[in-house]
Amino acid sequence: MTRDSAPDLLVLHAVRILGFADTPMVAQRYGLDEARTGELLRDFEARGWAGHSAFAGTGGWSLTEQGRAENERLLAAELARVGGADEIRDVYRAFLPLNALLLQACTDWQLRPADGDRLAVNDHRDADWDAGVLHELACVSRALTPLADRLGSVLTRLRGYDTRFAAALARARAGEHAWVDRTDVDSCHRVWFQLHEDLIATLGLDRSAHP
């Protein structure tokens, strides 16, 4: 049985995972042809599933409520076809404690409590503090690898989160602080957020109930 997803599902799902992205970014997410991706996005717009908007000099696509519902319908049908719901639910249960560790690590990267100010901004002058955070992220990275292998064995589109996370962590360890938590690069936090959204969407869960 093929574990690959249909192009229309991948394009619609890429918009869901990315949140707001231009056509090249949507195509890049799953290595799709950009011209074909643009055609599908315009078709989704005509169907009321996606909308294109622009502000502050940038433009991108996002899903409508109807588009989210269609995405969830396609994901449920795909999961039923491959029969991998139990495996993904089990991975999600293992993911949740790692999610707590990741969120705490990102908080510690942003804040460095000081005398009289427990919310003091981390200025990254304490090398030991930062090293501790990067160590926690490395532990998360190691634990993610077997989970990503299990996800990829169910659906091809779920592959790669571990390698993206490891690549972001390597850049952070090399002194590029943005690669821990910035949202404008493929940082540890951004990769993790997308993985969380992917798991929730694939299992048909309510994001507000699974922060």
Side-chain angles (χ1 to χ4, degrees):
M1 178 180 295
T2 179
R3 304 293 179 177
D4 296 339
S5 303
D8 57 341
L9 182 152
L10 290 176
V11 172
L12 197 64
H13 193 54
V15 179
R16 165 79 178 262
I17 296 302
L18 296 171
F20 180 80
D22 61 18
T23 301
M25 289 177 64
V26 173
Q28 183 183 35
R29 177 64 187 84
Y30 292 110
L32 302 172
D33 177 75
E34 188 174 324
R36 179 56 179 154
T37 297
E39 292 174 359
L40 286 168
L41 287 168
R42 289 188 292 274
D43 181 56
F44 296 159
E45 184 176 34
R47 293 170 180 263
W49 296 346
H52 190 276
S53 57
F55 58 91
T58 62
W61 297 91
S62 57
L63 294 189
T64 63
E65 287 302 314
Q66 296 96 318
R68 287 177 66 88
E70 177 62 14
N71 177 235
E72 290 166 4
R73 186 191 70 78
L74 291 173
L75 293 175
E78 177 183 62
L79 195 57
R81 174 177 61 81
V82 301
D86 288 344
E87 179 74 348
I88 294 181
R89 287 192 193 97
D90 194 53
V91 168
Y92 185 64
R93 284 191 289 268
F95 166 88
L96 290 175
L98 295 178
N99 187 55
L101 293 175
L102 184 283
L103 294 177
Q104 185 59 55
C106 286
T107 297
D108 291 342
W109 189 254
Q110 296 165 354
L111 303 176
R112 170 67 170 93
D115 291 341
D117 186 2
R118 64 184 184 86
L119 298 179
V121 173
N122 183 13
D123 58 14
H124 301 292
R125 289 188 293 181
D126 187 337
D128 289 340
W129 179 270
D130 281 2
V133 176
L134 293 173
H135 173 74
E136 289 299 312
L137 291 173
C139 293
V140 171
S141 183
R142 286 193 295 273
L144 175 59
T145 298
L147 298 184
D149 288 343
R150 292 171 64 187
L151 291 173
S153 71
V154 176
L155 287 165
T156 303
R157 66 173 176 80
L158 292 172
R159 295 175 181 168
Y161 282 108
D162 55 334
T163 55
R164 289 170 59 202
F165 190 94
L169 179 57
R171 297 191 69 157
R173 283 176 148 173
E176 299 181 67
H177 292 167
W179 287 80
V180 171
D181 61 350
R182 286 272 291 273
T183 58
D184 57 348
V185 297
D186 208 33
S187 67
C188 293
H189 182 269
R190 181 179 174 182
V191 172
W192 197 265
F193 181 89
Q194 290 180 10
L195 171 58
H196 197 177
E197 182 69 13
D198 210 344
L199 290 170
I200 285 173
T202 300
L203 291 171
L205 303 176
D206 181 358
R207 177 90 203 199
S208 64
H210 299 80

